Amino acid sequence: MDEVGQLSQTTMARVRRRLIPFLFLLYVVAYLDRVNVGFAALDMNRDLGFSAAVYGLGSGIFFVSYTLLEVPSNLMLARVGAGLWIARIMLTWGLVSAAMAFVQDATTFYVLRFLLGLAEAGFFPGVIVYFTHWFPRAERARALTGMLVGIPISLALGAVVSRWLLDQDWLGYAGWQWVFLVEGAPAVLLGAPPDMRREGDILTPASLAWLERRGETALPASPYGRLRITVAPD
């Protein structure tokens, strides 16, 4: 194998090893926060006196705000950079999801579900943009598949973890409240995607230069700045 071939293999192996597990974990957390209201529903509705209509409206209003902010969120992502915007999304959705533990009535339930949709809007497009920073076109489908495996795993994991939390009664909080508190925390703790340009042991200058030469990636000029789009050569 020639030097360029060896460099390409080494570069992509490092990118996959560093990013795919992290992005997979993000997707597990995202779907866990999206569906945990269903696991908490029975006990929450009983304790708060919610009818099926109240619960149904509160659950569905998430998608109204998510849809409304999807395009504006994508525009902001292009303006400030994928890394910073994904960090903002994760922080706000984690905090709002945890705040669901303190719902007192139908109004606060509706408001927090609406805010959760606003907070999470743009996450999936943001991750796709982040993919273009580090994965050449030929690598993206496999990388995306590795991340999307997190959806069924999050459902299975959510059922186990939520069922266990629902049986707890710590510090005077009901089990359904702990579902939101515990499952909202990972989104806050995970923070921003890794900046491999600052980690010389992950991607060397030669690896970054190889990605640039491929002409298929949009390497960010700064992890928190605007993107510098690399146009494929003719």
Side-chain angles (χ1 to χ4, degrees):
M1 182 181 297
D2 60 20
E3 183 177 349
V4 174
Q6 183 63 44
L7 178 62
S8 68
Q9 285 198 0
T10 301
T11 299
M12 295 318 304
R14 288 175 175 174
V15 169
R16 287 191 294 267
R17 186 167 58 246
R18 185 69 178 90
L19 290 188
I20 292 180
F22 180 81
L23 295 173
F24 164 82
L25 183 59
L26 291 193
Y27 229 62
V28 170
V29 171
Y31 267 78
L32 193 60
D33 282 342
R34 188 175 295 185
V35 302
N36 59 11
V37 68
F39 295 120
L42 186 62
D43 291 352
M44 180 181 69
N45 291 349
R46 183 195 62 227
D47 289 353
L48 300 179
F50 288 172
S51 66
V54 169
Y55 172 75
L57 178 58
S59 297
I61 204 170
F62 165 91
F63 297 99
V64 175
S65 54
Y66 186 94
T67 302
L68 287 174
L69 201 64
E70 187 79 348
V71 173
S73 180
N74 293 338
L75 293 175
M76 283 300 300
L77 181 145
R79 185 175 183 84
V80 306
L84 179 60
W85 198 243
I86 292 172
R88 193 284 304 163
I89 289 172
M90 294 178 62
L91 175 63
T92 53
W93 109 46
L95 291 174
V96 174
S97 181
M100 287 285 297
F102 305 104
V103 166
Q104 298 293 324
D105 52 32
T107 300
T108 54
F109 182 49
Y110 297 153
V111 169
L112 286 174
R113 288 292 295 176
F114 187 84
L115 291 177
L116 185 61
L118 292 180
E120 195 174 327
F123 173 70
F124 186 76
V127 170
I128 297 301
V129 171
Y130 189 72
F131 265 57
T132 68
H133 292 178
W134 305 110
F135 290 98
R137 191 174 297 113
E139 296 279 343
R140 289 173 197 164
R142 180 167 60 173
L144 184 60
T145 300
M147 185 187 74
L148 294 180
V149 171
I151 296 176
I153 291 179
S154 68
L155 295 175
L157 180 64
V160 174
V161 174
S162 298
R163 181 64 265 173
W164 179 75
L165 289 171
L166 286 170
D167 291 334
Q168 310 310 312
D169 185 15
W170 301 323
L171 304 176
Y173 292 104
W176 65 267
Q177 293 176 292
W178 283 110
V179 168
F180 292 118
L181 287 170
V182 171
E183 295 180 3
V188 177
L189 297 176
L190 285 172
D195 173 23
M196 293 185 295
R197 289 157 57 103
R198 293 181 177 178
E199 303 174 30
D201 59 332
I202 301 298
L203 282 187
T204 64
S207 294
L208 289 168
W210 176 82
L211 284 173
E212 288 274 19
R213 288 197 302 270
R214 286 294 300 268
E216 300 171 352
T217 54
L219 294 180
S222 162
Y224 304 115
R226 298 191 180 195
L227 303 182
R228 183 181 70 236
I229 304 298
T230 303
V231 179
D234 295 333

